[in-house]
Amino acid sequence: MQRIIIFLVGVTLTQAGTETRTLRGWLSDEGCARGRATAGVYTGTNPECAKRCVAEGKKIVFIDPNARRVLDISNQDAARDNIGDEVAIIGVVDPGKAVVDINSLRLISQGVAMCTRPKTPKK
């Protein structure tokens, strides 16, 4: 009986640090997102590059510009169709582990590749 009580208390403590949140940001691959975050940039990445990196084995992450963080996604399949896009998600966030479990996802805008600066008109 004592083991069961200890187990239940442990589960409750683990769950206590999580919170269900609505977040708005971008889905990207872990390599590009973390590299940009190191430089203080928390915006969308090139969707074509992100999709290629995920296809090569990188994990999908969520870029949260409001909290200036990159969250791992525990249920990768929930995000697979929107790599590179700006989305709103409702999910359970564990801030201590920097992980989100996505309950629902809504597309805000499709990602656009901008690899170069726009050309300036000639005078």
Side-chain angles (χ1 to χ4, degrees), residues 7-97:
F7 174 75
L8 292 175
V9 170
V11 170
T12 302
L13 291 175
T14 302
Q15 299 294 328
T18 62
E19 52 192 34
T20 300
R21 301 273 318 263
T22 300
L23 304 170
R24 181 175 174 160
W26 292 270
L27 297 173
S28 184
D29 68 284
E30 60 188 339
C32 290
R34 293 196 197 290
R36 291 167 59 95
T38 300
V41 179
Y42 295 88
T43 60
T45 62
N46 182 318
E48 294 169 10
C49 179
K51 289 173 184 173
R52 185 173 48 252
C53 289
V54 168
E56 293 172 357
K58 298 284 185 187
K59 293 200 183 297
I60 306 166
V61 295
F62 179 78
I63 301 168
D64 181 357
N66 293 326
R68 300 184 59 80
R69 63 185 173 180
V70 176
L71 297 171
D72 290 331
I73 298 172
S74 61
N75 51 339
Q76 295 279 296
D77 287 339
R80 197 160 307 280
D81 292 340
N82 292 97
I83 299 166
D85 297 336
E86 183 179 12
V87 297
I89 62 172
I90 297 174
V92 179
V93 177
D94 185 336
K97 294 181 180 178

